[in-house]
Amino acid sequence: MSKDTEVDMKDVELNDMDQEKQPMTGGAANGDAGSPTGTEKNGSVKVKIPEETQTKFTGLSKEELLTVAGTPGWVRTRWALLILFWLGWLGMLAGAVAIIVQAPRCKDIPAMNWWNYGPLYQIGNVQAFSESQNLKGVEDKIDRLSQLKVKGLVIGPIHVAPLDNLVSLNFEEISSDAGNLEQFKGLITAAHKKSIKVILDLTPNYLGRGPWFANVNVTNVAERLKSALVFWLNQGVDGIQLSGVERVASVVPSLWADIRAIVQNGTEGKRRILIGVTEKPSAVEVSELLNSTGVDLLLSGALRSKSMTATDRAQTVQQLLSSHNQTQLAWNIGDRKEGHLATLVGTDMVNFNQMLLLTLPGTPVFNYGDEIALADADTKSPKMLWDSLEDEETNGTAKEEKEQRVSCRSFFKTLSELRGKERSLQHGDYIPLFNSTSALAYLRQWDQSGRYVAAFNWGSDAVTLQLAHPDLPAQAVVQVSTDEVNLAPDRTVALSELVLGAGQAVLLQFPYMA
């Protein structure tokens, strides 16, 4: 093949190549003078980007600012902004004042004593109360009592007092059956650590026929009691309980005045309580004794009679409230002498009566074991039963009875907690809503606190209560109920058609409405 033919074939091959694959020769090969040197390498391109000019902001000088600030326009603007600021501030202040003025003022809390804030718990027989059968055993149970939110323990009587034996009476010596002075002081210390007060029952002849022996002995006994009161108060007790106060107050009024002064004139900030006990059953007699004896609280049989109707109970409460402040009233059914709640009202009505005592206006007082429906057997001082759900039980009946006691205690604890923290239940107004021979309902309310309606049916048939009052809403919520099937907690019910089964009670709550 000739050289000319070879050259032609190479030219064709170059022409057939894609434009992108053909070698770049710059423009020098074609005589292009676009390149400054005419020797640029294949694929190399130089681009010259002009430098940007940066402008520096210096702002106004001090002299320029002062000049501008003094112009009329800026002066008017500043004054306008200042006036707007103060107008806005004054508007907010006026709004706050208007809210404060228009808001309803809270009522002042009434003067109350420590015993008005929760239930008192009577332990009339120390030996029956604990496994240790003495005062140390009571101390060991303080934590359990604290869980019930009790505010005071009424202990004894525990002093030496042989049956109807005035000569051997010794107020200042603890019976060996109950323990000793060191144990008693230990109990006081333990109770105080849990904010529980200790009241000592010093009824003179507590095992005999009459609490103050015969009338001819009252003066002698009252004189001896005075020195004993000083002794026990110095040991740290927070109050004294005495049965048969009407006798000593009427027979030796001057000595009774001394007894009152010793107990009630405590140091400032340490108010001590004097509790009287009477067998009088009527509201009129209880009211007269409260006035004549001057005791702080009076335990009585005002709610004890089984023949009382719901109307009778409503009248009793209303009569006492009409003559006395609720801080002076105590509500009890059982006691050391009369026995336990379960025996007096029936086991199935214990929770019912717990609710009654813990929601009435006044101080509720219970006998030991009332929280578990402990019943009297051959004695008014049955052995206390201590249970826990963790205990193993092999006997089905025993296990069921234990669960019933635990449930009863839980019911009591729930009510006692409400009584201790809700102002409407602590010191709220008492407003009757309904009463008949078998049913009773009332409202407890205080200022802007939550309100409570308590309703009870003693009858053997269900009743429908049509509750109406200007302070009542259409509905309320169940807080605690003895009938957890038809009136389960947190259920909303209509107050105009409140159905209560036979022997049932319910505590309802609704909020304050402005």
Side-chain angles (χ1 to χ4, degrees), residues 125-346:
N125 190 307
V126 170
Q127 298 94 308
F129 183 70
S130 72
E131 299 89 345
S132 301
Q133 299 184 358
N134 56 26
L135 291 165
K136 182 63 172 64
V138 179
E139 178 187 342
D140 294 339
K141 301 299 183 183
I142 287 295
D143 285 342
R144 296 288 296 269
L145 297 176
S146 178
Q147 293 170 6
L148 298 177
K149 307 302 179 184
V150 300
K151 295 302 177 182
L153 301 180
V154 183
I155 303 294
I158 56 175
H159 58 272
V160 174
L163 178 67
D164 296 325
N165 189 339
L166 178 58
V167 176
S168 300
L169 173 66
N170 190 340
F171 284 116
E172 299 177 19
E173 181 182 350
I174 294 176
S175 170
S176 59
D177 292 337
N180 55 54
L181 181 59
E182 289 305 311
Q183 290 179 351
F184 186 67
K185 292 166 71 173
L187 167 60
I188 292 175
T189 300
H192 286 175
K193 286 181 180 179
K194 294 293 184 178
S195 299
I196 298 175
K197 306 295 186 180
V198 177
I199 303 157
L200 181 61
D201 192 326
L202 282 178
T203 300
N205 189 30
Y206 61 93
L207 296 174
R209 291 188 294 264
W212 291 83
F213 299 93
N215 275 352
V216 294
N217 303 124
V218 171
T219 301
N220 176 274
V221 174
E223 284 286 3
R224 293 168 64 178
L225 177 62
K226 286 168 55 178
S227 60
L229 292 174
V230 175
F231 172 80
W232 287 114
L233 293 173
N234 286 338
Q235 303 305 317
V237 300
D238 304 286
I240 299 295
Q241 177 170 292
L242 296 168
S243 297
V245 290
E246 58 268 38
R247 176 176 294 183
V248 64
S250 61
V251 174
V252 284
S254 60
L255 288 178
W256 177 246
D258 293 340
I259 291 170
R260 284 185 54 201
I262 293 170
V263 177
Q264 295 174 322
N265 295 344
T267 58
E268 186 174 350
K270 189 181 179 181
R271 184 79 163 83
R272 295 189 294 240
I273 185 174
L274 178 59
I275 301 176
V277 181
T278 181
E279 297 179 1
K280 302 294 185 183
S282 75
V284 172
E285 292 173 310
V286 170
S287 179
E288 290 175 352
L289 276 179
L290 275 169
N291 291 328
S292 63
T293 61
V295 293
D296 296 298
L297 296 177
L298 182 64
L299 306 187
S300 69
L303 295 179
R304 185 175 299 140
S305 174
K306 293 181 179 180
S307 63
M308 293 182 76
T309 65
T311 300
D312 295 333
R313 292 179 175 90
Q315 291 176 348
T316 295
V317 174
Q318 201 63 47
Q319 287 174 1
L320 289 172
L321 276 175
S322 65
S323 304
H324 306 276
N325 189 292
Q326 62 177 277
T327 59
Q328 299 175 277
L329 300 181
W331 303 109
N332 68 294
I333 295 177
D335 60 21
R336 175 179 61 84
K337 185 176 180 180
E338 297 297 327
H340 287 75
L341 192 60
T343 301
L344 295 171
V345 302

Side-chain angles (χ1 to χ4, degrees), residues 391-424:
D391 293 339
E392 292 291 336
E393 291 286 356
T394 56
N395 186 298
T397 301
K399 183 177 181 180
E400 182 179 347
E401 291 176 349
K402 182 196 69 175
E403 289 175 348
Q404 290 175 350
R405 290 192 295 267
V406 172
S407 175
C408 187
R409 185 179 187 274
S410 177
F411 186 93
F412 180 96
K413 181 175 178 289
T414 299
L415 280 170
S416 187
E417 286 177 342
L418 284 173
R419 173 64 174 74
K421 70 180 182 181
E422 294 294 330
R423 290 182 175 177
S424 291

